[in-house]
Amino acid sequence: MALKNFIVAIELGSTKITGIAGQHKPDGTIAVLAVVREDATQCIRKGVVYNIDKTVQCITNVVQKLRAQLHAGIKHVFIGVGGQSIHSERNVIIRDMQEAMPVTQQMIVEMMDNNRSMEYPEMEILDVIVQEYRADSLSQADPVGVQCSHLEGNFLNILQSKRHYNKLNTCFENAGVKIAEMYLAPYALADAVLTPIEKRSGCVLVDLGADTTTVMVYYKDVLRHIAVIPLGGNNITKDICSLQIDESDAEKMKLTYASAYTPVEDMDPNLKYDIDSERKVDSSRFIELVEARVQEIVANAMNQVPADYSDKIVGGIILTGGGSNLKNIDLAFKKYANLDKVRIAHFVNTTVSSTSNEVNAKDGTMNTVLGLLVKGDQNCYLQEEQKPRDIFGNTIGAEQPEDGEEQAEPRDVNNLPNGVVQTAAEKAAAEKKAAELEALKRAQDEKERREAEEERRRQEEERKKKPGIASKMIKWLNELTKPEEE
């Protein structure tokens, strides 16, 4: 029997595309119904699409396999946006008033609009996280109603390459897969693995992937910084290859022997690791290669923490992703980052039931796509209409629009929940509506200008018709000097 209520999420990772389907249970838990993975090394690099056709094929395969496992049609999917092109930029918008007055909601909207209109060459603003407002010298989360003469809005703009943003939307459009919601994947991950205390007290989330490492900094429940570093577990594998080892063998050696940190007292100068049946490598040389790369990854990750938050990481460092399974990775971060509080988030905070080995492994590799599944709030089931067919199997009659396909009113970009990204279709609809409103405003302004001009002319004509003071004086003098009649 086909299921009629489920959520579908798709994550485009740095080396694979993962699709998952599940149900939200009344008790707040998640039941995973299907999991599909497609190798994406031939079309995605460091989380960025470089081959559209192959990516379209991967997405199509994922959706078809999910459909087959669910025995149901899929109306739309939730997707995560990430990859190397994601980073954040701070921006400050200032408004000075001639005299102190209460801050209005309209002032806040105008500041948000001004921030959204910022131009970043070749970059797209995906999301805006409000950091704080400053009303005169006081910090405010919501300054509406506060009296001040100087207002500052501090924003964190999440940016992505316009080219990648367009490619990503094109891939789903060409695959014929509708997008229910587009999320900032790292944001969904953070909500899935961090605790409220960690976000509030200040923490660094480090997602160690195959080709990239994503770093997010939180303080007082607000995202303060995000960056994606082009370094990951595959870099360790490639370093091992420098020992003249095939990449597949190097990966096996990494999984078997590699340790992110090995105390000096645990090193054995006589120990050798097997490469194959005929060759061995000194353990000290192997350890040196691995630790050098790990140290570089740690240093680059911690270098992303803004200086004004470096002393506010009370919640510590939280590691997740496939790279967090590397032996002693927590010890490496403690040593090289000089922080004692390091936690590995092997799984999401939500209770999940599943028969999938990938999910039940709880090794951090499924955390992002599970986070997207948790975020999903629209039923993805598609009621496939049964239409009559001719003897050749072709559908008889014109195509009918699917239920719910009518054009939705574009959402206000300033009122989207944090972590939600406008799709290309939504962006185009919003821009069209904004252009229409601007055209109406220009027409109204022109109408008011013409009416004002007409009124000015009318008043001028009236003035000319009425005798002025000077003409009245002249007429009066003429009357006085007019000779009396005999």
Side-chain angles (χ1 to χ4, degrees):
M1 182 177 178
L3 295 167
K4 295 186 178 181
N5 189 356
F6 54 81
I7 306 295
V8 175
I10 295 179
E11 177 202 2
L12 281 74
S14 56
T15 59
K16 59 185 176 296
I17 296 177
T18 305
I20 192 168
Q23 290 179 323
H24 291 206
K25 297 298 184 179
D27 59 0
T29 63
I30 297 287
V32 174
L33 307 171
V35 176
V36 173
R37 279 181 169 178
E38 284 282 315
D39 177 68
T41 54
Q42 300 301 311
C43 54
I44 297 177
R45 289 176 183 162
K46 301 186 185 302
V48 175
V49 173
Y50 72 91
N51 187 311
I52 292 178
D53 290 343
K54 290 184 178 179
T55 304
V56 168
Q57 188 58 55
C58 283
I59 293 171
T60 302
N61 291 344
V62 166
V63 173
Q64 287 179 345
K65 290 177 180 178
L66 287 173
R67 188 183 293 126
Q69 292 186 36
L70 295 168
H71 304 291
I74 296 174
K75 183 177 182 180
H76 46 216
V77 302
F78 293 86
I79 69 169
V81 179
Q84 187 182 346
S85 67
I86 299 287
H87 73 280
S88 62
E89 294 279 353
R90 295 187 192 183
N91 189 39
V92 179
I93 301 295
I94 297 174
R95 176 166 181 160
D96 287 311
M97 283 75 82
Q98 291 183 345
E99 59 183 21
M101 62 177 61
V103 176
T104 65
Q105 186 62 42
Q106 183 60 32
M107 291 180 186
I108 299 301
V109 170
E110 288 175 0
M111 295 184 85
M112 288 181 170
D113 287 339
N114 289 338
N115 176 68
R116 278 278 183 181
S117 65
M118 285 291 297
E119 290 290 334
Y120 297 93
E122 304 301 322
M123 301 300 289
E124 185 86 23
I125 297 180
L126 293 183
D127 196 11
V128 175
I129 312 297
V130 177
Q131 303 294 284
E132 65 176 3
Y133 293 96
R134 293 189 69 84
D136 288 336
S137 59
L138 297 177
S139 295
Q140 302 282 337
D142 181 7
V144 174
V146 177
Q147 188 142 332
C148 66
S149 59
H150 177 84
L151 181 63
E152 286 185 13
N154 291 274
F155 304 98
L156 187 73
N157 294 334
I158 313 299
L159 310 177
Q160 182 185 42
S161 160
K162 286 183 180 179
R163 186 170 60 176
H164 177 51
Y165 174 82
N166 293 332
K167 280 184 178 181
L168 186 64
N169 280 276
T170 298
C171 288
F172 279 88
E173 182 179 346
N174 290 355
V177 177
K178 293 182 175 62
I179 299 173
E181 198 82 272
M182 187 182 287
Y183 285 103
L184 197 62
Y187 209 99
L189 172 65
D191 284 349
V193 302
L194 296 180
T195 67
I197 293 176
E198 288 169 338
K199 282 187 176 183
R200 186 168 59 251
S201 59
C203 68
V204 180
L205 175 62
V206 183
D207 181 19
L208 298 158
D211 283 337
T212 60
T213 295
T214 303
V215 181
M216 303 179 76
V217 179
Y218 276 86
Y219 180 63
K220 289 186 176 180
D221 290 324
V222 177
L223 175 64
R224 305 294 179 172
H225 184 72
I226 180 173
V228 181
I229 303 165
L231 293 171
N234 285 346
N235 293 93
I236 299 174
T237 302
K238 291 174 182 176
D239 289 343
I240 297 172
C241 288
S242 67
L243 298 172
Q244 297 183 344
I245 302 173
D246 178 80
E247 188 168 344
S248 60
D249 291 332
E251 179 68 17
K252 291 176 183 177
M253 289 192 70
K254 181 182 75 174
L255 297 175
T256 305
Y257 304 118
S259 175
Y261 175 68
T262 304
V264 175
E265 59 271 19
D266 292 345
M267 291 185 182
D268 183 352
N270 300 316
L271 180 63
K272 295 182 183 294
Y273 294 144
D274 292 330
I275 296 176
D276 51 39
S277 59
E278 298 178 353
R279 294 186 300 159
K280 297 180 182 293
V281 62
D282 289 339
S283 61
S284 57
R285 175 60 179 147
F286 185 87
I287 290 170
E288 180 184 349
L289 281 172
V290 173
E291 288 193 2
R293 181 62 74 178
V294 170
Q295 189 169 354
E296 180 188 18
I297 292 173
V298 174
N300 276 274
M302 299 313 297
N303 190 50
Q304 291 300 321
V305 180
D308 43 348
Y309 294 106
S310 59
D311 60 343
K312 297 179 174 64
I313 312 301
V314 178
I317 301 171
I318 296 85
L319 308 176
T320 191
S324 65
N325 295 297
L326 186 62
K327 182 182 177 182
N328 289 340
I329 188 66
D330 53 341
L331 296 181
F333 269 86
K334 286 180 180 180
K335 178 176 175 60
Y336 302 132
N338 295 316
L339 277 174
D340 291 331
K341 197 169 184 179
V342 178
R343 176 175 75 86
I344 299 178
H346 293 296
F347 204 60
V348 296
N349 297 329
T350 304
T351 301
V352 177
S353 61
S354 174
T355 59
S356 166
N357 292 333
E358 292 97 331
V359 174
N360 292 331
K362 296 186 178 181
D363 57 5
T365 60
M366 297 291 291
N367 286 353
T368 298
V369 75
L370 285 170
L372 294 171
L373 187 63
V374 172
K375 289 281 187 186
D377 57 0
Q378 300 175 40
N379 186 11
C380 296
Y381 169 70
L382 172 64
Q383 176 67 50
E384 296 182 323
E385 184 180 354
Q386 297 298 319
K387 298 179 181 178
R389 297 179 180 273
D390 60 23
I391 59 174
F392 301 105
N394 299 316
T395 301
I396 299 174
E399 288 291 326
Q400 299 296 319
E402 293 176 3
D403 181 41
E405 270 193 29
E406 62 274 3
Q407 182 65 44
E409 182 73 10
R411 298 178 295 178
D412 181 1
V413 69
N414 288 329
N415 289 325
L416 293 177
N418 284 341
V420 174
V421 179
Q422 276 190 317
T423 64
E426 286 180 322
K427 188 171 182 292
E431 289 174 350
K432 180 181 178 181
K433 183 178 180 181
E436 291 172 349
L437 290 175
E438 182 62 26
L440 287 173
K441 184 177 183 300
R442 285 198 302 267
Q444 182 64 28
D445 290 345
E446 179 62 20
K447 180 182 177 182
E448 291 176 358
R449 186 193 67 78
R450 287 198 303 266
E451 290 176 348
E453 181 66 18
E454 187 65 29
E455 178 64 18
R456 186 190 67 78
R457 289 175 182 170
R458 188 188 65 76
Q459 291 179 0
E460 181 66 19
E461 291 295 329
E462 289 291 330
R463 187 185 65 78
K464 288 179 179 179
K465 291 178 181 179
K466 293 180 180 179
I469 294 176
S471 61
K472 287 182 179 179
M473 288 292 293
I474 292 171
K475 184 177 180 182
W476 180 67
L477 287 172
N478 288 337
E479 290 292 332
L480 286 177
T481 58
K482 182 178 181 182
E484 295 182 2
E485 296 183 358
E486 293 290 335

